[in-house]
């Protein structure tokens, strides 16, 4: 398991499902897409509409495209989402 990123700050949180541990499964609050007191993620940084997150449960780090605000072009999102060899 990775250690928590030095930028991890409980004051900067996001409510996005973790693609690694899926610890929010079965949570009624998360299922209703409400702010849950248990299943939040550290918001390490953002680049336009892309959030850089870390899960406090499993320490997984990933990027999440929100689609809000200054989004990348549709072509750039498609290229970024292609599987890498």
């Amino acid at each position: 398991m990775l250690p928590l990123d030095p930028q991890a700050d409980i004051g900067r949180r996001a409510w996005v499902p973790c693609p690694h541990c899926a610890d929010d499964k079965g949570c009624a609050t998360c299922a209703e897409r409400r702010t849950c007191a248990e299943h939040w993620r550290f918001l390490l940084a953002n680049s336009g509409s892309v959030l850089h997150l870390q899960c406090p449960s499993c320490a997984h780090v990933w990027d999440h495209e929100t689609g809000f605000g200054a989004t990348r072009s549709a072509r750039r999102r498609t290229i970024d989402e292609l599987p890498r060899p």
Side-chain angles (χ1 to χ4, degrees):
M1 181 162 92
L2 295 171
L4 286 179
D5 188 282
Q7 298 298 315
D9 176 3
I10 196 166
R12 297 188 61 202
R13 297 180 284 176
W15 284 263
V16 176
C18 176
H20 186 258
C21 70
D23 63 347
D24 62 317
K25 299 295 182 213
C27 175
T29 305
C30 290
E32 294 173 0
R33 299 182 58 108
R34 294 176 34 219
T35 304
C36 178
E38 292 182 46
H39 305 114
W40 50 269
R41 314 301 169 208
F42 287 112
L43 175 58
L44 303 177
N46 72 293
S47 300
S49 62
V50 179
L51 305 180
H52 308 289
L53 304 165
Q54 185 171 31
C55 177
S57 298
C58 69
H60 179 67
V61 177
W62 77 102
D63 294 337
H64 175 76
E65 171 63 63
T66 65
F68 294 109
T71 59
R72 296 173 294 152
S73 70
R75 181 178 184 280
R76 182 80 246 161
R77 283 194 306 265
T78 302
I79 291 169
D80 289 347
E81 293 168 2
L82 290 174
R84 298 184 189 242

